[in-house]
């Protein structure tokens, strides 16, 4: 029996809705769609993305300024310059910004530049980071660890909640398994389970689960059918040239097609886009 007092759904408890910007919510009837490149690469890249999705169903823009790379010699992100770019395009195009925080030391310097702190898969077990984020009031998009059990994922959320921050959004992004045909295995059983046992919004990141752009629309439809409250999807103005995660990056047009492609599924499960 899980001892997560705050994350678990009490009998009859409504699902929580997290407001990421005035009037912009995750967990309500409308499916929340957040998209953007894996990494912030330039102002013009981010502006192209924001301009393209202005006045569409896209709720927010993502982009990594600090990148958790497997190899220390690979691109580590534009860091503070990337944060400035995110802030500028977020303000100019009225999009809430989601970006990954890697360290407790970055929270202060990032908090005025982003609307949602993303905790990446590699940091789901970083309890010090989770506790520090729990002391803020910012929405936290908490990704499931690479090999984390559902219990460990719920306890990671509890670390944030128990420090006083109620604004936690869970994100299933695929887990490691034996089959490398897809980058990870999208665990839709976890989506259904988390919706049942917790009251928190649950998003799905099909990009890091699939690792291949041609699988993303199908997984997105499946995620919405399984009850996900939103999608976090990587796209790029020139996908093949993406500095990170190029193989899974959708073109901007494919991303727009994804939004219309999931609409019938959303309707079928009583949600809107
Ligand atoms: C990302 O969102 O670009 C990312 C690094 O994700 P994850 O932590 O799920 O690997
Ligand atoms: Mn990525």
């Amino acid at each position: 029996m899980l001892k997560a007092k705050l994350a678990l759904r009490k009998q009859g408890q409504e699902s929580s809705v997290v407001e990421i910007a005035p009037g912009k919510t995750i967990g309500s009837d409308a499916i929340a769609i957040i998209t953007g490149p894996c990494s912030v690469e330039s102002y013009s890249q981010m502006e192209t993305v924001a301009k393209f999705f202005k006045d569409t169903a896209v709720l927010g823009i993502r982009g990594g300024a600090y990148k958790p790379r497997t190899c220390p010699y690979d691109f580590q992100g534009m860091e503070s310059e990337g944060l400035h770019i995110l802030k500028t395009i977020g303000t100019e195009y009225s999009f809430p910004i989601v970006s990954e925080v890697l360290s407790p030391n970055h929270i202060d310097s990032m908090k005025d530049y982003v609307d949602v702190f993303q905790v990446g898969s590699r940091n789901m077990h970083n309890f010090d980071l989770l506790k520090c984020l729990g002391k803020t009031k910012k929405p936290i998009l908490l990704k499931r660890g690479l090999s984390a059990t559902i219990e460990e994922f719920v306890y990671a959320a509890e670390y944030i909640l128990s420090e006083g921050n109620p604004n936690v959004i869970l994100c299933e992004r695929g887990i490691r398994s034996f089959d490398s045909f897809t980058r990870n295995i999208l665990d839709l059983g976890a989506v259904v389970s988390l919706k049942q046992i917790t009251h928190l919004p649950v998003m799905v990141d099909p990009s890091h689960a699939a690792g291949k752009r041609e699988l993303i629309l199908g997984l997105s439809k499946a995620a919405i059918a399984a009850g996900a409250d939103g999608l976090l999807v990587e796209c790029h103005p020139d996908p093949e040239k993406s500095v990170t995660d190029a193989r899974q990056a959708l073109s901007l047009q494919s991303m727009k097609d994804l939004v219309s492609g999931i609409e019938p599924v959303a309707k079928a499960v009583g949600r809107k886009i």
Side-chain angles (χ1 to χ4, degrees):
M1 183 59 191
L2 275 171
K3 291 181 289 178
K5 291 185 236 134
L6 300 168
L8 294 182
R9 192 190 285 277
K10 298 185 180 63
Q11 205 171 7
Q13 186 178 357
E14 297 278 308
S15 295
S16 295
V17 175
V18 174
E19 187 168 63
I20 62 166
K24 300 204 171 191
T25 56
I26 301 180
S28 56
D29 280 354
I31 299 296
I33 299 164
I34 295 171
T35 192
C38 182
S39 300
V40 178
E41 296 168 16
S42 67
Y43 181 82
S44 75
Q45 171 220 29
M46 291 307 302
E47 189 182 39
T48 305
V49 173
K51 222 182 228 170
F52 191 87
F53 292 110
K54 184 82 196 138
D55 301 322
T56 66
V58 167
L59 184 80
I61 297 291
R62 64 151 285 151
Y66 295 90
K67 295 304 300 175
R69 304 307 303 282
T70 302
C71 171
Y73 307 122
D74 289 344
F75 175 65
Q76 302 286 310
M78 289 184 79
E79 304 182 336
S80 60
E81 200 186 340
L83 291 180
H84 279 96
I85 293 171
L86 287 168
K87 176 80 186 172
T88 311
I89 70 109
T91 308
E92 199 153 317
Y93 293 91
S94 303
F95 276 120
I97 296 295
V98 180
S99 198
E100 180 164 352
V101 58
L102 292 183
S103 155
N105 299 332
H106 292 164
I107 294 176
D108 256 8
S109 59
M110 284 182 77
K111 72 177 184 326
D112 296 330
Y113 290 86
V114 306
D115 299 280
V116 178
F117 281 124
Q118 176 176 318
V119 175
S121 202
R122 290 154 192 80
N123 266 317
M124 191 213 80
H125 291 289
N126 183 342
F127 302 123
D128 188 33
L129 177 64
L130 301 177
K131 283 184 192 173
C132 291
L133 290 168
K135 294 188 171 78
T136 75
K137 286 280 171 269
K138 281 242 183 234
I140 312 297
L141 181 74
L142 176 65
K143 288 196 165 193
R144 184 179 181 182
L146 302 169
S147 311
T149 64
I150 292 172
E151 269 196 35
E152 287 165 342
F153 192 17
V154 173
Y155 280 132
E158 190 78 9
Y159 263 99
I160 302 169
L161 298 166
S162 62
E163 292 293 334
N165 185 350
N167 301 309
V168 177
I169 303 141
L170 303 173
C171 183
E172 160 60 34
R173 48 77 73 200
I175 46 171
R176 283 187 162 167
S177 189
F178 58 89
D179 191 345
S180 58
F181 189 80
T182 55
R183 186 175 178 182
N184 290 290
I185 311 292
L186 182 63
D187 184 2
L188 292 178
V191 175
V192 178
S193 303
L194 291 165
K195 286 299 297 176
Q196 283 180 7
I197 66 169
T198 82
H199 57 87
L200 302 170
V202 178
M203 292 189 69
V204 164
D205 169 353
S207 303
H208 292 86
K212 294 177 173 173
R213 64 177 65 83
E214 61 273 24
L215 304 180
I216 293 173
L217 174 61
L219 293 181
S220 298
K221 288 178 177 172
I224 301 304
D229 296 298
L231 297 169
L232 179 73
V233 184
E234 288 185 346
C235 68
H236 193 283
D238 193 348
E240 301 292 346
K241 296 223 172 82
S242 180
V243 174
T244 52
D245 288 348
R247 183 65 185 84
Q248 67 199 36
L250 292 182
S251 68
L252 304 189
Q253 187 55 49
S254 302
M255 183 59 212
K256 204 174 251 178
D257 295 343
L258 182 149
V259 175
S260 34
I262 60 172
E263 198 163 3
V265 183
K267 275 207 184 112
V269 292
R271 310 291 290 261
K272 339 181 260 220
I273 295 292

Tab-separated table of all heavy atoms in Angstrom, residues 38 62 67 183 208 234 245 248, ligand 2:
chain	number	residue	atom	x	y	z
A	38	CYS	N	13.585	19.787	-28.969
A	38	CYS	CA	14.273	19.180	-27.833
A	38	CYS	C	15.134	20.263	-27.172
A	38	CYS	O	14.999	20.527	-25.978
A	38	CYS	CB	15.131	18.017	-28.333
A	38	CYS	SG	15.988	17.142	-27.024
A	62	ARG	N	7.770	24.143	-25.523
A	62	ARG	CA	8.876	23.548	-24.784
A	62	ARG	C	10.203	23.826	-25.493
A	62	ARG	O	10.236	24.128	-26.692
A	62	ARG	CB	8.713	22.041	-24.638
A	62	ARG	CG	8.731	21.261	-25.934
A	62	ARG	CD	9.267	19.836	-25.760
A	62	ARG	NE	10.707	19.828	-25.589
A	62	ARG	CZ	11.390	18.925	-24.914
A	62	ARG	NH1	10.755	17.924	-24.328
A	62	ARG	NH2	12.706	18.994	-24.818
A	67	LYS	N	20.646	20.772	-21.135
A	67	LYS	CA	20.354	19.429	-21.626
A	67	LYS	C	21.111	18.353	-20.833
A	67	LYS	O	22.328	18.450	-20.669
A	67	LYS	CB	20.753	19.314	-23.110
A	67	LYS	CG	19.939	20.198	-24.044
A	67	LYS	CD	18.438	19.968	-23.962
A	67	LYS	CE	17.979	18.572	-24.290
A	67	LYS	NZ	16.501	18.417	-24.059
A	183	ARG	N	12.768	3.472	-28.994
A	183	ARG	CA	13.777	3.974	-28.036
A	183	ARG	C	13.454	3.508	-26.621
A	183	ARG	O	14.328	3.147	-25.841
A	183	ARG	CB	13.784	5.507	-28.121
A	183	ARG	CG	14.863	6.160	-27.315
A	183	ARG	CD	14.865	7.671	-27.549
A	183	ARG	NE	15.880	8.315	-26.741
A	183	ARG	CZ	16.093	9.610	-26.712
A	183	ARG	NH1	15.353	10.428	-27.467
A	183	ARG	NH2	17.022	10.121	-25.946
A	208	HIS	N	9.980	10.758	-26.735
A	208	HIS	CA	11.081	10.017	-26.116
A	208	HIS	C	10.739	8.536	-25.963
A	208	HIS	O	11.634	7.701	-25.849
A	208	HIS	CB	11.477	10.653	-24.779
A	208	HIS	CG	12.104	11.997	-24.973
A	208	HIS	ND1	11.357	13.135	-25.082
A	208	HIS	CD2	13.402	12.368	-25.155
A	208	HIS	CE1	12.167	14.158	-25.299
A	208	HIS	NE2	13.410	13.729	-25.352
A	234	GLU	N	8.020	16.614	-29.337
A	234	GLU	CA	9.127	17.382	-29.913
A	234	GLU	C	8.907	17.639	-31.404
A	234	GLU	O	8.536	16.737	-32.157
A	234	GLU	CB	10.455	16.638	-29.701
A	234	GLU	CG	10.865	16.699	-28.241
A	234	GLU	CD	12.231	16.106	-27.929
A	234	GLU	OE1	12.807	15.401	-28.778
A	234	GLU	OE2	12.713	16.331	-26.804
A	245	ASP	N	18.089	14.768	-30.512
A	245	ASP	CA	16.880	13.971	-30.769
A	245	ASP	C	16.264	14.203	-32.156
A	245	ASP	O	15.020	14.243	-32.302
A	245	ASP	CB	15.831	14.225	-29.663
A	245	ASP	CG	16.240	13.593	-28.331
A	245	ASP	OD1	17.193	12.792	-28.312
A	245	ASP	OD2	15.603	13.914	-27.306
A	248	GLN	N	13.504	11.744	-33.746
A	248	GLN	CA	12.121	11.744	-33.256
A	248	GLN	C	11.422	13.089	-33.470
A	248	GLN	O	10.246	13.236	-33.136
A	248	GLN	CB	12.073	11.356	-31.772
A	248	GLN	CG	12.707	12.391	-30.842
A	248	GLN	CD	13.056	11.824	-29.478
A	248	GLN	OE1	13.464	10.679	-29.364
A	248	GLN	NE2	12.887	12.599	-28.428
B	2	LIG	MN1	14.621	15.395	-26.274
